[in-house]
Amino acid sequence: MQGTVEDVDVPSASDVLRRCRELVRPALVDAVGRLHPWTGEMAAYSLGWSDTAGTPEPGGSEGKGVRQALALLGAEAVGADAACAVPGAVAVELVHTFSLLHDDVMDADTLRRRRPAVWKAYGTGPAVLAGDALLARAVTGLAETPGHHAAAVRRLCDALNDLVAGQAEDLRFEHRPWDGPGAVGPEEYRSMAEGKTGALLGCALALGAVLGGAPEPTVAALDRAGRHLGLAFQAVDDILGIWGDPATTGKPVHADLHRGKKTHPVLAALAGGSRAARELGTLLASARPTDAAAAERVASLVEEAGGRAATRGEARRHLDAARDALRATPLTRTAARELDVLFAGLADRVM
Ligand code: GRG
């Protein structure tokens, strides 16, 4: 995620994320500090700040901080000071942390950011409670924010409902067949991905704009940009789940294939109709790939049938749509440039 050599004054996506993380950190620490000490300890672990003994692990396993950065840039893009968006940034980062925590429970994923998932480290019951605590804190913090707080809370609640709907579809798709009348169609996939991933990215940008006092059409344009970014982001996430390097992603490879998750590369490969697509369809219809060799075979058939390339194309199309949404609304030049760099970096990410 690098800026170009010629554009010396344009920060890289990593620079943008770092700057925003530093601005939000004190408020995030304060929010976690308001939790019950036990849920606070699990929250600090899940944010990558400490180990299971509560010992600080600076920079250990933190996430990229995408959502908090989008909130701050959303405010700057409408000409406001980033500081006004910090409560929104905290809220979306807490919701994101909560959703990963609960997602790992639902999917029985044991590893997150190279460490045991919270439910593995602390137990399922405590992990669910820690997620609940994060969610409650996110909403409370935003509701306590002076100015525009009703509109901001409304935005966050809408995104939460979309997240639940997206996750519900994602889980139910696991039990749908790969082809035939019950197969998951491209529109259904898109709606699921927009709900589970796009809604919070859109909300982050929109919250920044709301807290920055922007008019509704500008807020809506930023929400739309974030949702398209989310669709690109999820497409890349699907690619990383099959071909990513576990040492970089911090998650085991092929977990989605083992679970029968309806990811974009596999759905696109099956839609291709090639010999590899037919062989893939037969293989998936016979059984879920339970061991590493079977998953490896599925992955190479998906690649051969064009699923990886099609998903790259999908990510590229939504990145373009996200950029178009930004261009369609008047934004401050510096923030618009930083958003552009960040969007491109996220569509090319390897973790
Ligand atoms: C909102 C009430 C309520 C429930 C949530 C569990 C759930 C329902 C939804 C799960 C949503 C989910 C986990 C979507 C995946 C989004 C995604 C691609 C996450 C990865 O985000 P990164 O790459 O992660 O930004 P890091 O590790 O960098 O923070």
Side-chain angles (χ1 to χ4, degrees):
M1 297 202 284
Q2 298 294 314
T4 62
V5 177
E6 309 85 84
D7 285 334
V8 281
D9 59 338
V10 179
S12 68
S14 309
D15 291 338
V16 173
L17 291 172
R18 190 176 319 109
R19 173 177 76 86
C20 293
R21 190 182 301 117
E22 281 165 13
L23 281 170
V24 177
R25 174 56 68 93
L28 205 49
V29 169
D30 178 70
V32 170
R34 288 168 191 270
L35 300 178
H36 179 280
W38 188 38
T39 56
E41 181 190 315
M42 290 185 275
Y45 175 82
S46 65
L47 283 156
W49 298 347
S50 55
D51 65 15
T52 49
T55 310
E57 273 191 333
S61 290
E62 294 188 32
K64 294 181 283 299
V66 172
R67 292 144 191 91
Q68 59 188 349
L70 291 175
L72 297 197
L73 291 172
E76 290 179 337
V78 301
D81 192 301
C84 73
V86 166
V90 169
V92 289
E93 208 55 32
L94 293 180
V95 166
H96 170 59
T97 308
F98 141 75
S99 72
L100 295 183
L101 207 158
H102 277 203
D103 188 55
D104 287 341
V105 172
M106 293 176 199
D107 285 352
D109 280 336
T110 55
L111 215 58
R112 167 73 60 187
R113 300 182 189 140
R114 288 171 289 280
R115 298 191 308 173
V118 179
W119 70 271
K120 264 310 234 191
Y122 289 90
T124 303
V128 169
L129 188 66
D132 294 340
L134 286 162
L135 176 59
R137 190 65 236 161
V139 181
T140 308
L142 203 54
E144 286 169 353
T145 305
H148 311 293
H149 75 277
V153 171
R154 180 76 249 168
R155 283 261 160 203
L156 186 69
C157 289
D158 287 346
L160 292 176
N161 284 304
D162 286 352
L163 239 88
V164 174
Q167 180 75 347
E169 288 164 14
D170 192 38
L171 292 179
R172 277 173 43 110
F173 288 175
E174 290 176 21
H175 305 286
R176 300 260 297 267
W178 284 103
D179 62 7
V184 174
E187 249 327 289
E188 288 181 291
Y189 171 88
R190 200 204 52 75
S191 158
M192 174 277 291
E194 181 173 340
K196 81 167 181 177
T197 304
L200 194 56
L201 298 190
C203 173
L205 272 171
L207 273 185
V210 166
L211 294 170
E216 177 52 29
T218 307
V219 174
L222 286 170
D223 182 54
R224 196 159 53 251
R227 283 172 177 265
H228 278 296
L229 175 69
L231 285 161
F233 196 82
Q234 185 57 51
V236 176
D237 209 65
D238 285 358
I239 290 176
L240 293 176
I242 304 179
W243 296 284
D245 176 3
T248 313
T249 63
K251 293 189 288 188
V253 74
H254 295 162
D256 289 347
L257 296 179
H258 293 307
R259 288 188 66 77
K261 275 234 185 279
K262 301 300 181 291
T263 60
H264 194 279
V266 185
L267 293 172
L270 287 168
S274 63
R275 184 207 52 78
R278 286 195 299 279
E279 186 181 339
L280 177 66
T282 309
L283 202 64
L284 291 173
S286 66
R288 275 187 191 177
T290 47
D291 59 34
E296 203 52 68
R297 178 73 191 133
V298 168
S300 66
L301 283 170
V302 172
E303 174 121 44
E304 207 181 318
R308 185 176 185 165
T311 304
R312 274 254 136 254
E314 175 79 358
R316 179 61 49 192
R317 275 189 297 283
H318 283 293
L319 172 64
D320 289 347
R323 286 171 151 168
D324 287 348
L326 287 185
R327 279 190 215 107
T329 195
L331 300 175
T332 63
R333 200 163 157 263
T334 305
R337 239 174 11 176
E338 291 198 4
L339 279 171
D340 198 61
V341 167
L342 183 59
F343 280 21
L346 294 175
D348 272 340
R349 73 199 169 98
V350 292
M351 59 180 281

